[in-house]
Amino acid sequence: MNGINKTALEKRIEELISAYCSKYGHLLGFESVKTVCDQAVISGRNGKRLRAMLLITAARFATQRAEQNNFFNALEESKVFDIACALEIFQTAALVHDDIIDNADVRRGQPSAHKALSYLTKKPDETVGTGLGIMLGDILATVSVQAVNAAASGFFLHGSILADFLGMQQMVEFGQVMDISSEITDLSKAKNLTLIAETVYQFKTASYTTIAPLALGFMCAGIEPDTARKIALKAGKPVGVAFQIADDLLDIISTEKDTGKPIGGDIREGKRTSIFADTLNALKEGGSESREDYLWLLDFYADRKRDSEGVKRVADLMHSTGAIERAKNRTEDLLKSAQYEIMSCSGEILTNEGKENICRAFNAFIPEKIFK
Amino acid sequence: MNGINKTALEKRIEELISAYCSKYGHLLGFESVKTVCDQAVISGRNGKRLRAMLLITAARFATQRAEQNNFFNALEESKVFDIACALEIFQTAALVHDDIIDNADVRRGQPSAHKALSYLTKKPDETVGTGLGIMLGDILATVSVQAVNAAASGFFLHGSILADFLGMQQMVEFGQVMDISSEITDLSKAKNLTLIAETVYQFKTASYTTIAPLALGFMCAGIEPDTARKIALKAGKPVGVAFQIADDLLDIISTEKDTGKPIGGDIREGKRTSIFADTLNALKEGGSESREDYLWLLDFYADRKRDSEGVKRVADLMHSTGAIERAKNRTEDLLKSAQYEIMSCSGEILTNEGKENICRAFNAFIPEKIFK
């Protein structure tokens, strides 16, 4: 994306994690310390790095305009690079805790961190895995802030960059809380399920996927924090929510080989995705004709064990009610609305070239498959 | 302690937690968000606040000397106060995760956070409690750094104060990892168990209990970071380790009413305390005479279920081998050594009055009961 070297990002992420963990090198006599440090590096690998690339793109093109306006010096690209890497490290931290909460065994095609850490003992021990996993998430979250504090120290807006990075962490954390809550509400009584799902997406996903990358990137370029935050929210929220809906879609219309996760996993886990909410709504509004399917779906999601046959039936209902088609359209609308916000932001902040580059960066968040 | 108002500390801790969580006030429609915000405040209550008081004491008296030397302005006491509160908030974050890892039901005489949060649903749900508990710990850790970032922004050493606060978090996190590891090592083969226990104590306890409060307090007073860190480690490490040993002692020689936790809890959980290590060592070295007790103790700690009768027998062995007595002496020696370090630090940094006040603050970390 925009000529940003993904391999260099991977390398720097690994370097930063290793550097902050290696302070404890003399403690490697503690087998668990070595194991956790190694796992920190392993868990940090193989992301798509879309977030880091968006941050760098935003910083780069906002700086270009600032330079033309003669009110800002050349950007210290290596520091922006580190802040972008810190964002990816925080994502890993969040995923490690997320996988514990969801009891997920697989992540990016590999054993999830707490699963891998449960093998510290000869006989895998879940309690040990969970304990070390909680700590690994904590360690990675701390490392991410350490990296931002170090990198941002030279920037004009040091304090604001740090405050926004922390604010982003908090949004993700509350998003997770909202998610846990939404998954235990009584579906037969719940209203506005689709709206609830999209609010969770704003906090849990858009926050760190698109809103913070834009805000942080702009601030690295010296754009005044309130302005940076305003544009970041207006444009970042829709594309971030679209990204999550697209991810939910992939869980149903994709293959395990593509995603590195078992297909239909969200259904199996009873996730209250916006597609599920829309399906349930459609069945409810279908009246007597779809009543049987509606009641079955309620039961199936109320249950803790969901079998493969049922998962398939849910996927079929998502198609037959038109929920899949509507989700595809919604994704497209949100993406366009995000791009519209960028295109209409002040020429003082971004040149046309800059706007086009950020819009292209947005495209990368939505797999082409969605629109086919 | 030193005229610091504990009630004011309690109040400010609650204010800070509420302020950072209330940004999500509009989301209180999510029942879980409200519950987690409330629990954040509840979990933050009723600490002894020894750490905050030590930080404030160190800052106040180092500043007094700096003012006499005419190289520093009057300290912004309210900002130091906030950093001290942030340290307490971080402690709560760490305890919330610790209680999940240890599967502890009680904390400070109240239900532990994840236990309380499991009641979000009508029928208590452990999975929900653990998930929300992990997030609560994350939220509190983030709030603590947010508070430091905001408070330290006016200080000369903003970046270093933040870096040390984060470094402290990382030490605690790795200390926890070491702790989990030490609890699964094969006791029959392990060497240097007492040294291992004290290394864990340095990371898991002394780090945030005494080392960071001293270092942060000194830095708030403008003392050069390397000097501040050096004194903090030399004096903070022994008194922090002494504090943990004293805490372990209380678990055996105290009553439930005093500690708010069931007595012998560490033994029941199979904690590898330094007292346990010393007891096991003594029995091993006692040869054939104590062989039966030694083998029984190994077995008892290898087991996952430890009954009350066994817990009592372990406590008796801790007394009869002299381990309790030695732990008391060790606590006293460590405390004295910490006070010696403070008394012998440069007069450029602390006046004699300042030194005496910090030494008195150290005394508060060791309950009088220990020396009786």
Side-chain angles (χ1 to χ4, degrees):
Chain A
M1 187 197 285
N2 293 320
I4 299 162
N5 188 333
K6 187 165 175 290
T7 312
L9 277 169
E10 289 292 336
K11 186 162 165 275
R12 186 60 182 152
I13 288 166
E14 191 158 331
E15 271 173 14
L16 285 169
I17 296 174
S18 299
Y20 283 104
C21 289
S22 72
K23 283 191 285 183
Y24 303 101
H26 63 291
L27 296 166
L28 296 188
F30 281 86
E31 197 189 333
S32 60
V33 173
K34 186 177 172 353
T35 306
V36 167
C37 289
D38 290 348
Q39 186 62 43
V41 170
I42 293 167
S43 292
R45 281 182 190 147
N46 298 327
K48 281 172 287 190
R49 311 307 178 202
L50 294 174
R51 296 163 180 88
M53 290 190 202
L54 179 60
L55 191 154
I56 295 168
T57 304
R60 195 178 277 173
F61 287 101
T63 304
Q64 195 184 54
R65 169 50 98 196
E67 282 173 340
Q68 285 172 9
N69 291 349
N70 265 330
F71 65 78
F72 198 68
N73 295 326
L75 190 69
E76 293 183 74
E77 182 111 5
S78 73
K79 294 194 167 178
V80 175
F81 206 80
D82 277 9
I83 295 172
C85 290
L87 184 68
E88 296 284 335
I89 294 170
F90 170 68
Q91 184 198 13
T92 303
L95 294 180
V96 168
H97 281 181
D98 196 28
D99 285 343
I100 296 173
I101 293 170
D102 290 345
N103 198 19
D105 291 346
V106 176
R107 170 65 67 180
R108 293 173 183 163
Q110 301 286 326
S112 56
H114 67 283
K115 194 82 191 171
L117 291 167
S118 72
Y119 286 85
L120 181 71
T121 45
K122 269 181 210 157
K123 216 174 107 196
D125 183 324
E126 264 197 38
T127 309
V128 168
T130 301
L132 293 179
I134 293 174
M135 282 307 112
L136 175 61
D138 289 354
I139 289 165
L140 286 166
T142 303
V143 166
S144 73
V145 186
Q146 287 174 310
V148 172
N149 185 43
S153 70
F155 286 118
F156 174 56
L157 293 169
H158 179 191
S160 299
I161 289 171
L162 212 51
D164 271 51
F165 195 85
L166 294 165
M168 166 200 80
Q169 291 195 350
Q170 209 179 26
M171 277 192 78
V172 175
E173 288 151 5
F174 274 103
Q176 184 75 272
V177 168
M178 289 151 68
D179 198 20
I180 293 172
S181 166
S182 92
E183 280 177 37
I184 53 171
T185 47
D186 185 341
L187 285 173
S188 62
K189 289 176 195 157
K191 283 176 189 165
N192 305 323
L193 274 180
T194 316
L195 181 67
I196 290 176
E198 287 200 4
T199 308
V200 175
Y201 292 175
Q202 181 193 344
F203 275 77
K204 200 183 158 182
T205 308
S207 55
Y208 77 101
T209 302
T210 45
I211 301 173
L214 288 171
L216 292 168
F218 289 150
M219 284 190 224
C220 286
I223 290 177
E224 192 269 319
D226 282 343
T227 308
R229 285 169 193 147
K230 208 168 148 187
I231 305 171
L233 184 65
K234 272 191 176 175
K237 182 178 155 184
V239 65
V241 171
F243 169 77
Q244 183 62 58
I245 299 177
D247 195 60
D248 295 344
L249 275 167
L250 287 184
D251 186 58
I252 301 157
I253 64 175
S254 198
T255 65
E256 178 159 352
K257 198 170 149 254
D258 288 342
T259 63
K261 289 185 285 194
I263 292 308
D266 290 344
I267 301 175
R268 195 175 300 274
E269 288 168 29
K271 288 247 167 223
R272 312 283 172 94
T273 63
S274 64
I275 301 171
F276 163 74
D278 188 23
T279 306
L280 193 71
N281 259 344
L283 292 173
K284 194 176 185 181
E285 284 167 12
S288 60
E289 211 166 303
S290 56
R291 185 146 182 86
E292 192 190 319
D293 282 332
Y294 172 71
L295 293 175
W296 174 83
L297 193 57
L298 282 182
D299 267 4
F300 188 69
Y301 270 66
D303 208 355
R304 277 249 160 149
K305 295 268 169 221
R306 279 167 287 269
D307 60 10
S308 298
E309 203 185 334
V311 170
K312 195 178 170 313
R313 182 167 166 190
V314 176
D316 289 344
L317 286 171
M318 287 172 169
H319 281 285
S320 63
T321 54
I324 295 288
E325 199 52 34
R326 281 190 296 278
K328 287 183 178 183
N329 293 337
R330 177 83 177 132
T331 305
E332 194 167 5
D333 289 348
L334 288 167
L335 174 61
K336 279 185 186 154
S337 133
Q339 288 169 332
Y340 172 82
E341 290 295 340
I342 289 297
M343 292 313 288
S344 51
C345 86
S346 160
E348 289 293 304
I349 290 165
L350 290 167
T351 59
N352 282 335
E353 188 204 352
K355 292 177 186 180
E356 282 159 18
N357 269 283
I358 291 176
C359 287
R360 259 203 296 282
F362 284 176
N363 283 332
F365 282 87
I366 317 295
E368 301 237 331
K369 192 181 187 104
I370 298 296
F371 300 126
K372 273 174 195 158
Chain B
M1 188 197 286
N2 295 318
I4 299 161
N5 187 335
K6 188 167 174 288
T7 313
L9 276 170
E10 289 291 336
K11 187 163 164 273
R12 186 61 183 150
I13 288 166
E14 193 158 329
E15 272 172 14
L16 285 169
I17 295 173
S18 299
Y20 283 104
C21 290
S22 71
K23 283 191 286 183
Y24 302 101
H26 63 292
L27 296 166
L28 294 189
F30 282 85
E31 199 189 332
S32 60
V33 173
K34 185 173 172 0
T35 307
V36 166
C37 288
D38 291 348
Q39 186 62 44
V41 170
I42 293 168
S43 292
R45 280 181 191 149
N46 297 326
K48 281 171 287 188
R49 311 306 179 203
L50 294 174
R51 296 163 181 88
M53 292 191 201
L54 179 59
L55 191 155
I56 295 167
T57 304
R60 194 178 279 173
F61 287 101
T63 304
Q64 193 184 57
R65 169 49 101 196
E67 283 172 340
Q68 286 172 9
N69 290 351
N70 264 329
F71 64 78
F72 198 69
N73 294 326
L75 190 69
E76 292 183 75
E77 182 111 5
S78 73
K79 295 194 167 179
V80 174
F81 206 80
D82 277 8
I83 296 173
C85 290
L87 184 68
E88 296 284 335
I89 294 170
F90 170 67
Q91 184 198 12
T92 303
L95 294 180
V96 169
H97 281 181
D98 196 27
D99 285 343
I100 297 173
I101 293 170
D102 291 346
N103 198 18
D105 291 345
V106 176
R107 169 66 66 180
R108 295 174 183 160
Q110 301 288 326
S112 56
H114 67 284
K115 194 82 191 169
L117 291 168
S118 73
Y119 286 86
L120 180 70
T121 45
K122 269 180 209 158
K123 217 174 108 194
D125 183 323
E126 264 198 39
T127 310
V128 168
T130 302
L132 293 179
I134 292 175
M135 282 308 110
L136 176 61
D138 288 355
I139 288 166
L140 287 166
T142 303
V143 166
S144 74
V145 187
Q146 286 174 310
V148 173
N149 185 42
S153 69
F155 285 118
F156 174 56
L157 294 169
H158 179 191
S160 299
I161 289 171
L162 211 51
D164 270 51
F165 194 86
L166 294 165
M168 166 200 80
Q169 290 196 351
Q170 208 178 28
M171 275 192 80
V172 176
E173 288 151 3
F174 274 103
Q176 183 75 273
V177 168
M178 289 151 69
D179 199 20
I180 293 173
S181 166
S182 91
E183 279 178 37
I184 52 170
T185 47
D186 184 341
L187 285 172
S188 63
K189 289 174 194 157
K191 282 175 190 166
N192 305 321
L193 274 179
T194 314
L195 180 67
I196 288 175
E198 288 201 2
T199 308
V200 174
Y201 291 174
Q202 180 194 345
F203 275 76
K204 199 183 156 180
T205 307
S207 54
Y208 77 101
T209 302
T210 45
I211 301 173
L214 288 171
L216 292 168
F218 290 151
M219 284 189 221
C220 286
I223 291 176
E224 193 268 320
D226 282 344
T227 309
R229 287 171 190 143
K230 207 168 149 188
I231 304 171
L233 183 65
K234 271 191 177 173
K237 181 179 156 185
V239 65
V241 170
F243 169 78
Q244 183 61 59
I245 298 176
D247 195 60
D248 295 344
L249 275 166
L250 287 183
D251 185 59
I252 301 156
I253 64 175
S254 199
T255 65
E256 178 159 353
K257 198 171 147 256
D258 289 341
T259 63
K261 289 184 285 192
I263 292 307
D266 290 344
I267 301 174
R268 194 175 301 272
E269 288 168 28
K271 288 247 166 222
R272 313 282 173 95
T273 63
S274 64
I275 301 170
F276 163 74
D278 188 24
T279 306
L280 193 71
N281 259 346
L283 292 173
K284 193 176 185 181
E285 283 167 12
S288 58
E289 211 166 301
S290 56
R291 184 145 183 87
E292 192 190 319
D293 283 331
Y294 172 71
L295 293 176
W296 174 83
L297 193 57
L298 282 183
D299 266 3
F300 188 69
Y301 270 66
D303 209 354
R304 278 249 161 149
K305 296 266 168 224
R306 278 167 288 268
D307 62 8
S308 298
E309 201 185 335
V311 170
K312 193 177 172 317
R313 182 167 168 190
V314 176
D316 289 345
L317 286 170
M318 288 174 167
H319 281 285
S320 64
T321 54
I324 295 288
E325 199 53 35
R326 281 190 297 276
K328 288 183 179 185
N329 293 337
R330 176 82 178 135
T331 305
E332 194 167 6
D333 289 349
L334 287 168
L335 173 62
K336 279 185 185 153
S337 132
Q339 288 170 331
Y340 172 83
E341 291 295 341
I342 290 295
M343 292 313 289
S344 51
C345 85
S346 160
E348 290 291 306
I349 290 166
L350 291 167
T351 59
N352 282 335
E353 189 204 349
K355 292 177 185 179
E356 281 158 20
N357 269 283
I358 291 176
C359 287
R360 258 202 297 281
F362 284 177
N363 283 332
F365 283 87
I366 316 295
E368 301 239 329
K369 192 181 187 104
I370 299 297
F371 300 125
K372 271 174 195 159

